[in-house]
């Protein structure tokens, strides 16, 4: 009888312990999601690129409300039909990008591009002046703002030309430029790979060629976007270049190979 009571007591303790662990894990997950949501909202407000796009898309609501009062019932019905078509097409393209894209920055850039195209197309049903106005607004946003790159570095470090010389003994260096949209879209992959592959024999570093253009000339990297040389990844060993991607020759054709995490994993191996 005592053994049964003792066993029951242990089972109750175990159940309470597991409930406590589940509740603690649930609270940690909720806090993590809440922090991620707050970070995203803070970035949307603090970054001009995201804030301007949000205000531009939000402005469609008052424009749509005013247009519904001025348009005929037939045109209003047709506009609703086109809006539904546009939303469904946008969701399909977004779902495709969720599967194909490897970085959040690339997904955001493509999603905003699709949203702008659909908004301008739908605005044509209201009035072509509205479509021209949105085209002008998005052109100004494109001219005056820039999508922010991934800010975390992983185990990599930002380098100056002097620090780069010290890393040449054994290291993998990403040469990027803050003005390049390709570098921004791929800015997440290198820090994440550094967490996986960095060790005492292999260091990861990032140098901004927009700040140090002489480094581009020294390592034969073209800053012209049409040659597809940004970003460039060079692996060094004993102060000697072992390999690089993309390859560069003065008479080479532009490189259109997409920069993906899988490709760079093969490059490191």
């Amino acid at each position: 009888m005592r053994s049964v009571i003792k066993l029951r007591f242990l089972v109750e303790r175990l159940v309470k312990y597991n409930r406590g662990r589940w509740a603690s894990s649930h609270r940690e997950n909720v806090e993590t999601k809440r922090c991620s949501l707050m970070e995203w909202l803070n970035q949307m407000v603090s970054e001009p690129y995201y804030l301007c796009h949000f205000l531009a898309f939000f402005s469609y609501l008052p424009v749509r409300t005013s247009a519904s009062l001025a348009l005929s019932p037939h045109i209003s019905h047709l506009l609703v039909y086109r809006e539904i078509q546009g939303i469904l097409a946008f969701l399909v393209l977004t779902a495709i990008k969720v599967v194909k894209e490897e970085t959040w920055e690339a997904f955001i850039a493509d999603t905003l591009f699709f949203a702008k195209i659909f908004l301008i197309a739908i605005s044509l049903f209201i009035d072509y002046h509205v479509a021209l106005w949105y085209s002008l607004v998005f052109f100004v946003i494109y001219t005056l703002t820039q999508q922010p790159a991934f800010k975390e570095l992983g185990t990599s470090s930002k380098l100056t030309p002097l620090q780069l010389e010290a890393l040449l003994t054994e290291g993998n260096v990403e040469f990027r430029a803050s003005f390049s949209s390709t570098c921004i879209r791929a800015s997440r992959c290198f820090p994440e790979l550094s967490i996986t592959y960095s060790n005492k024999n292999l260091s990861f570093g990032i140098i901004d060629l927009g700040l140090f253009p002489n480094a581009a000339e020294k390592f034969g990297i073209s800053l012209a976007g049409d040659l597809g040389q940004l970003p460039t990844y060079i692996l060094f060993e004993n102060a000697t270049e072992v390999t690089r991607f993309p390859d560069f020759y003065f008479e080479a054709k532009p490189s259109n190979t997409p920069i993906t995490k899988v490709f760079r994993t093969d490059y490191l191996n």
Side-chain angles (χ1 to χ4, degrees), residues 197-254:
Y197 289 96
S198 65
N199 53 55
K200 62 180 182 179
N201 297 321
L202 180 63
S203 301
F204 285 71
I206 300 172
I207 185 165
D208 190 342
L209 299 180
L211 300 176
F212 308 105
N214 292 336
E217 182 179 355
K218 178 178 180 180
F219 292 97
I221 301 171
S222 173
L223 296 179
D226 56 344
L227 290 180
Q229 293 293 305
L230 294 175
T232 290
Y233 307 92
I234 302 180
L235 181 64
F236 296 97
E237 184 177 0
N238 297 325
T240 303
E241 178 180 325
V242 177
T243 184
R244 74 162 59 192
F245 174 81
D247 293 328
F248 179 73
Y249 303 97
F250 288 102
E251 298 181 356
K253 296 181 179 179

Side-chain angles (χ1 to χ4, degrees), residues 167-201:
L167 193 66
L168 295 183
T169 55
E170 195 86 18
N172 184 27
V173 182
E174 178 187 43
F175 296 84
R176 64 166 67 167
S178 57
F179 56 81
S180 170
S181 60
T182 306
C183 293
I184 293 173
R185 293 167 67 95
S187 59
R188 180 181 296 264
C189 294
F190 194 78
E192 291 180 350
L193 288 177
S194 70
I195 297 175
T196 304
Y197 289 96
S198 65
N199 53 55
K200 62 180 182 179
N201 297 321

